[in-house]
Amino acid sequence: YFHAKLAYHIISRSQRPVQLMMDEYRNWGHDVWAVNDTLCEVAVTCRVTDGATGETLMEKRCVIPRNGIVKVGQIRTNPAHKRLFILTGTANGETFHNHYAAGRAPFALHEARRFVDIISALEPRFDAEGCWR
């Protein structure tokens, strides 16, 4: 139907050269990582928010070496609760986003659609409804 599929938007957002990511649940939480696939050192402001409430759960600055990875911190959570974490970074005057859906699988369709609605409102925006066609 001439719309990019959901996977296109998710993958293009997550494959940036400088990105924030979360690890699988371990030791009572999720580790947050800053990754730099460039040949220059990068200073990044990192923020993790709860997708449902907008509450800031972590905000830190870090410097990532070239071709490097830095552990920013850990978000404590209960694996029984399904949550969407929004990871926002700012580097070299540019803001970028990633996300992480946490909780035990499977996710109900209404939960996944709610998460996609939240993700689609992040820059760069996309048509959430068009992705389901």
Side-chain angles (χ1 to χ4, degrees):
Y1 300 107
F2 304 103
H3 289 277
K5 299 294 184 201
L6 178 60
Y8 168 81
H9 298 290
I10 301 302
I11 292 169
S12 65
R13 183 173 284 158
S14 67
Q15 294 297 313
R16 292 180 40 81
V18 177
Q19 189 57 274
L20 301 178
M21 300 178 184
M22 290 182 83
D23 213 345
E24 293 293 320
Y25 180 83
R26 184 176 41 146
N27 298 328
W28 304 103
H30 297 276
D31 292 337
V32 179
W33 299 90
V35 179
N36 177 11
D37 288 336
T38 71
L39 298 177
C40 302
E41 183 177 270
V42 178
V44 180
T45 300
C46 311
R47 185 172 71 243
V48 179
T49 56
D50 184 295
T53 66
E55 174 190 3
T56 298
L57 305 171
M58 173 190 295
E59 190 159 11
K60 293 187 177 180
R61 287 187 50 79
C62 67
V63 176
I64 317 167
R66 62 188 185 138
N67 286 322
I69 183 167
V70 172
K71 182 177 175 183
V72 178
Q74 185 184 58
I75 302 294
R76 296 284 195 172
T77 189
N78 182 336
H81 299 147
K82 291 180 171 56
R83 296 176 77 180
L84 177 67
F85 295 107
I86 304 298
L87 297 92
T88 304
T90 303
N92 300 324
E94 182 183 4
T95 299
F96 52 91
H97 302 281
N98 204 359
H99 70 278
Y100 184 85
R104 291 193 183 112
F107 284 80
L109 180 59
H110 74 276
E111 293 169 320
R113 288 189 76 115
R114 183 173 52 90
F115 286 0
V116 170
D117 287 342
I118 294 167
I119 295 163
S120 70
L122 303 171
E123 293 297 332
R125 295 174 184 265
F126 63 89
D127 176 19
E129 197 56 39
C131 291
W132 294 102
R133 292 186 193 142

